[in-house]
Amino acid sequence: MKNVVPIMMIGLLAACETAPPYTPPATDLPLFGGGYRADGDQCRRVGESAETVEYLDHTADLVACPEDYEGVGVFVTETGGVEVARVDGWVLFSVSTEG
């Protein structure tokens, strides 16, 4: 029984380790903002560039989410975003700004 307590303590300490901060994929896309739905979100608004001009629309936001983003299903459900392209490890979504 005495050996069980130290082993349990090691397990508890290992569970407290923090994950390294998220690093988004490098890209030349003109990303801006602190997060699309809220500061800290992994998805970002995208501005105009040669790569994005055909996806921009005055009635929608162009939003990029990392391809490995685990919350992409929730993002699509909550925003109604429609995938329009994939660039440099990012998925581009058109998100309607109308009603």
Side-chain angles (χ1 to χ4, degrees), residues 48-71:
E48 186 174 348
S49 72
E51 292 180 303
T52 64
V53 69
E54 67 185 272
Y55 309 117
L56 294 172
D57 181 344
H58 70 282
T59 64
D61 290 333
L62 186 60
V63 180
C65 297
E67 284 182 333
D68 62 353
Y69 178 43
E70 292 179 7

Side-chain angles (χ1 to χ4, degrees), residues 9-85:
M9 292 302 291
I10 291 171
L12 290 173
L13 289 174
C16 293
E17 289 183 29
T18 58
Y22 175 75
T23 304
T27 184
D28 288 332
L29 290 171
L31 304 176
F32 64 93
Y36 182 63
R37 294 167 293 170
D39 281 347
D41 270 359
Q42 293 182 24
C43 300
R44 300 282 187 271
R45 293 269 316 268
V46 183
E48 186 174 348
S49 72
E51 292 180 303
T52 64
V53 69
E54 67 185 272
Y55 309 117
L56 294 172
D57 181 344
H58 70 282
T59 64
D61 290 333
L62 186 60
V63 180
C65 297
E67 284 182 333
D68 62 353
Y69 178 43
E70 292 179 7
V72 75
V74 172
F75 172 84
V76 169
T77 300
E78 288 181 353
T79 65
V82 175
E83 183 177 334
V84 294

